[in-house]
Amino acid sequence: MTEQYSFETLISREALAAKVAELGKQISEDYRDKDTVFMGILKGCFVFMADLVRQVKIERLEVCFMAVSSYGSGTRSTGNIVIKRDLEADLTGKHVLIVEDIVDSGHTLTYLKKYLSNRQTASVKVCTILDKPSRRETDLVPDYRGFEIPDAFVVGYGLDYDEQFRELPDLCILHRNGEKA
Ligand code: 5GP
């Protein structure tokens, strides 16, 4: 049987834009005069990162990316983090803000915070647009968070299902064959 997909809007593009503006304002106040690196975690962060950098005013801001994976092609985290693209920047003395699409179990960010803190950074904090605290398996608490969402598999605004649907402008709950993914 071919899979049938449908999408239920959970957070509209307008609500996402308003929240990113709010986060950008707060982050600008906190990082304004700091040597700052936004560290995007690919691929899911790319839309959020593009929106966020255009909402901040920070004197010295660098943008970097790492790619990690914790999922295969399913919808559940394995807790096994694999770095697929490593750091290129020297983070010595820099204030690093990890920019992430979603925190679920918290394994990915717990691992990355430790990994980046071992690089003589001045600070390492986390900004995520989405948070699913009901699924947490670690004590990770994001420093900046856009929306708390329920335990459902979401796509759009950069987030995928098996590399599809990243381009959807709204954040949607994915339904497969009439059921939640
Ligand atoms: P964690 O390590 O916190 O369990 O997982 C974080 C990663 O899992 C995210 O960066 C994202 O790639 C993936 N993830 C968790 N929940 C969802 C979801 O609802 N939709 C999508 N597309 N990815 C998710």
Side-chain angles (χ1 to χ4, degrees):
M1 185 175 94
T2 13
E3 302 257 30
Q4 300 286 331
Y5 297 110
S6 58
F7 307 95
E8 178 192 342
T9 299
L10 181 65
I11 306 172
S12 69
R13 64 201 79 179
E14 293 82 11
L16 286 160
K19 186 63 79 176
V20 175
E22 212 178 280
L23 286 169
K25 193 161 176 267
Q26 183 63 54
I27 290 167
S28 300
E29 280 169 24
D30 299 348
Y31 285 84
R32 191 176 303 280
D33 51 5
K34 293 187 173 132
D35 239 332
T36 304
V37 178
F38 280 6
M39 178 66 68
I41 308 305
L42 293 171
K43 300 179 190 169
C45 77
F46 78 103
V47 177
F48 177 40
M49 175 69 102
D51 284 349
L52 185 64
V53 289
R54 290 175 293 169
Q55 293 292 337
V56 296
K57 258 205 168 125
I58 295 174
E59 265 178 48
R60 292 178 305 280
L61 175 65
E62 266 180 72
V63 176
C64 297
F65 294 96
M66 289 179 72
V68 302
S69 84
S70 62
Y71 277 19
S73 56
T75 58
R76 295 275 147 183
S77 175
T78 58
N80 292 326
I81 316 300
V82 179
I83 295 187
K84 293 181 151 178
R85 177 196 155 116
D86 208 343
L87 285 174
E88 283 154 13
D90 177 7
L91 300 181
T92 309
K94 305 266 173 77
H95 292 271
V96 177
L97 184 66
I98 302 176
V99 176
E100 176 64 299
D101 51 355
I102 187 165
V103 187
D104 189 33
S105 69
H107 288 301
T108 307
L109 284 174
T110 301
Y111 177 87
L112 282 173
K113 266 189 96 169
K114 204 164 153 204
Y115 185 83
L116 294 170
S117 300
N118 287 337
R119 299 272 175 305
Q120 281 86 45
T121 45
S123 68
V124 179
K125 290 192 173 176
V126 170
C127 174
T128 185
I129 185 68
L130 304 167
D131 189 13
K132 278 189 202 167
S134 62
R135 301 220 340 133
R136 202 72 96 249
E137 293 169 11
T138 64
D139 57 8
L140 194 282
V141 180
D143 301 279
Y144 303 92
R145 165 173 95 163
F147 298 93
E148 183 174 322
I149 63 166
D151 180 10
F153 194 80
V154 290
V155 296
Y157 198 66
L159 286 88
D160 73 313
Y161 172 70
D162 220 357
E163 295 302 331
Q164 294 183 76
F165 315 129
R166 294 189 194 275
E167 73 283 8
L168 299 175
D170 302 311
L171 185 85
C172 301
I173 296 176
L174 176 67
H175 294 262
R176 261 187 306 171
N177 306 322
E179 294 187 7
K180 282 187 182 175

